[in-house]
Structure formats: C-alpha cells, structure tokens
Amino acid sequence: MDLTTVWFLLIAVLFTGYFILEGFDFGVGALLPVLGRDDRERRVMINTIGPVWDGNEVWLITAGGAMFAAFPEWYATLFSGFYLPLLLILLALIIRGVAFEYRHKRPEPTWKRRWDTAITIGSITPAILWGIAFANILRGVPLDADHEYTGGLLDLLHPYALLGGLTTAALFLTHGALFTALKTTGDIRHRATTLATRLGTAAALLTIPFLTWTLTIRTSPLATALAATATLTLLAALAATHARREGWAFTGTATTIALTVATLFAALFPNVLPSTTDPAGTLTTTNAASTPYTLEIMTWVAAIFTPVVLAYQGWTYWVFRRRIGTHHIPTH
C-alpha cells in the first residue's frame, strides 16, 4: 500500500474518531434545554462532557493538520470553496467553548440562560454543517481544470447535502441522548432514554435514505457493504434503546457513525474531491498529495505520537467514567 493511500485512510480514521467523540458532546449540548429542566440538571449534563469535550476536538485539529500536510491541494480547494460553512463551524465551536467557560462565572439566571442558548446553537450548527460539507465532498463540487472552486454558496445547498446535514444532526442528537442516559442518574436518565428512542427512529428514517442516495451517486463493493452494516447497527441500536440497554445502544450509534463515515470515504476513494463540471479538475489521492519524503516523515511522527494521544484520551474517559446526578451538584 503506498503512502498516499495510507494517509487517505488515516484522515478517514481521524474524522471517524472525531464524529464519534464530538458527536455525543454535540448531542448533549444541543439537548441541554430539552433534557435539563432547571439549572442543576443542566449543570449535570454539562459536567458529563466537561472533562472530555475539548480533548475530542483534538481529533478535528489533527485531521485538518494531516489533510494540510498530506494533501495540500485538497486542503486549499476545500477551505476556499467551503469557506462560509467552515467559518460558521469554527465560530460555533468558539462560541460553545466560551459558553462552557463563562456560564458559571455569574449566578444570575439570565446570564446562564444566554450561555445555555450559546451552547445549544454552538452544538447544533456544526452537527448540521458537517453533514452538508461531507455530502458535498462525496457528491463533488464545481472545480475547473486548475482545481479552483467555481461555484457559490447555493451550490452547496442541494437536497442531497441538506439530507446529509439532517442525518448527521439526527445521529449526533441520538448519540448525545444515549450518552446522557449512560452518564446520569434519576429523572435526567429516564428522560434521555425516552427521547433517544424517538430520536433514534428519526435518525433511522434519515440515515437509510441518505446512505441509499450516497450509493447511487458514487459506490464500490466496500462502500455498499459498509452502508448495509451501518443500517443494521443503527436498527440494533434502536432495538437496544427500546430495551433500555443504554450501553449497547450507545455502542450501536457509535458504530453506525463510524460505518457511515467509512461509507463516504470508501465511496470517494481514490478521489478526494470530485469535480462536477470538468473531470480534469477532480482531485485524487495522487494529484493532491505531498511529496513522498513529506509523507514518510509524517508517517514516522504519527507512529510515535498517536499512541500517546490515544493513551491520554483513554485515561481521561476512565477517570471520569462514573455516573453523576443532581445530588453531586452544589445548591449554590
């Protein structure tokens, strides 16, 4: 296997890890006003993701850095063509991070409600826009022979992309509701499990058509097998949610998200950004890649530091593995 293929796979793995981990904290943040009936319940929900949400974003930073170094042409075209959606994602992530830090700085209910709103908007916005962005990467965008994006914002908002945005939002909300059920006790846990059943049904009604549509645009035997398995795991997660088996249900949504992302990358390969207007403009793992020397250096760096990052994140999740409830939250 050549190094360009290795780095295409590594970037796919990094985005998969990002969507699994950040997916549930997007879901928890978006469901904050729905599941949290008062300030103490909302503090419980925030505390479930408090120790891990910023570590989850390391996967996105690493994926972006890997894309920049391994496939600079892909990175440049993507960030210039998707400038506004990616800027909105960045602003949403900044607002959400600031809200986590500032929410508890003052005791006034109005102050907290405003930051709660910021957390909700900062969570649901990237959950939708990431689906729109990846649907466009899979379908392709207008590129000229010099790999320059020639479309506008409206070219990114076609029905397939909008379905992709709704699909990722539904999957992340379901994933977040199940994580809340898995990490809390009392009324929040029961409400989260009940809501996860409804959200899981909506996710199934969106994910199955999205994967089917994906395979009609671009496919491969591997992508078809991954999409079929993703559908089965989502249905299994829904059944586990009905049975109140939160651990199995959460594993099911995590696996579904992983297989859905894998389906997109498998269907895309060996392209990295197809052109819908000029086949000569299509970016592939070959014409978008860095030099072999750069890829070789990157491979050694990844081999040394990836286990360190994985060990640190695993330790963080182990330390903060216990359930929490309102009785853990001070009254003032």
Side-chain angles (χ1 to χ4, degrees):
M1 184 182 296
D2 59 63
L3 286 179
T4 57
T5 303
V6 168
W7 275 97
F8 179 85
L9 292 174
L10 286 175
I11 289 171
V13 169
L14 289 168
F15 274 110
T16 301
Y18 172 66
F19 287 130
I20 290 174
L21 297 177
E22 190 90 301
F24 70 71
D25 70 52
F26 281 154
V28 173
L31 294 174
L32 194 63
V34 179
L35 294 176
R37 297 286 172 82
D38 55 33
D39 178 59
R40 295 183 74 194
E41 290 190 347
R42 287 190 284 275
R43 287 168 67 185
V44 168
M45 291 182 65
I46 292 172
N47 285 351
T48 63
I49 58 174
V52 297
W53 71 268
D54 47 357
N56 294 342
E57 293 186 352
V58 170
W59 289 75
L60 174 62
I61 296 169
T62 308
M67 184 184 290
F68 171 76
F71 301 103
E73 194 78 25
W74 184 17
Y75 180 92
T77 303
L78 190 65
F79 276 73
S80 60
F82 293 22
Y83 179 79
L84 186 56
L86 294 178
L87 177 63
L88 289 175
I89 289 173
L90 178 61
L91 290 175
L93 295 178
I94 292 173
I95 290 171
R96 198 172 74 115
V98 171
F100 284 138
E101 297 295 331
Y102 276 73
R103 184 186 185 278
H104 65 282
K105 297 294 185 185
R106 291 172 56 176
E108 296 89 343
T110 304
W111 172 270
K112 293 184 177 180
R113 278 199 300 272
R114 287 173 179 169
W115 288 119
D116 288 345
T117 302
I119 292 172
T120 302
I121 294 173
S123 298
I124 195 66
T125 300
I128 296 171
L129 290 178
W130 277 125
I132 291 175
F134 269 82
N136 275 292
I137 291 172
L138 184 285
R139 177 180 177 267
V141 293
L143 299 177
D144 62 20
D146 295 323
H147 312 305
E148 296 291 337
Y149 181 70
T150 58
L153 177 62
L154 293 180
D155 291 310
L156 303 177
L157 300 177
H158 45 83
Y160 173 68
L162 296 176
L163 179 59
L166 292 175
T167 299
T168 51
L171 282 174
F172 293 166
L173 288 173
T174 308
H175 202 38
L178 288 169
F179 183 78
T180 304
L182 201 58
K183 291 288 291 180
T184 60
T185 59
D187 292 341
I188 307 177
R189 178 185 178 187
H190 295 301
R191 285 199 295 273
T193 304
T194 302
L195 183 62
T197 304
R198 299 170 185 166
L199 290 171
T201 303
L205 293 175
L206 290 165
T207 303
I208 294 171
F210 175 69
L211 290 174
T212 304
W213 197 341
T214 296
L215 296 177
T216 64
I217 296 173
R218 210 172 303 281
T219 190
S220 70
L222 177 60
T224 303
L226 290 168
T229 311
T231 301
L232 293 175
T233 56
L234 180 56
L235 295 177
L238 193 55
T241 306
H242 275 291
R244 305 268 168 175
R245 302 294 299 270
E246 295 145 358
W248 285 108
F250 182 76
T251 303
T253 52
T255 307
T256 301
I257 292 170
L259 292 171
T260 300
V261 179
T263 299
L264 297 179
F265 275 93
L268 186 63
F269 185 80
N271 300 323
V272 293
L273 190 59
S275 172
T276 57
T277 52
D278 184 352
T282 292
L283 286 167
T284 68
T285 54
T286 301
N287 65 17
S290 291
T291 64
Y293 179 72
T294 301
L295 295 177
E296 186 176 348
I297 295 294
M298 290 175 59
T299 304
W300 279 107
V301 172
I304 294 171
F305 289 103
T306 300
V308 177
V309 174
L310 291 177
Y312 166 74
Q313 281 216 302
W315 177 80
T316 305
Y317 278 91
W318 174 256
V319 169
F320 296 99
R321 66 188 183 280
R322 300 190 185 283
R323 293 179 184 268
I324 59 174
T326 52
H327 59 283
H328 292 108
I329 305 296
T331 54
H332 56 79

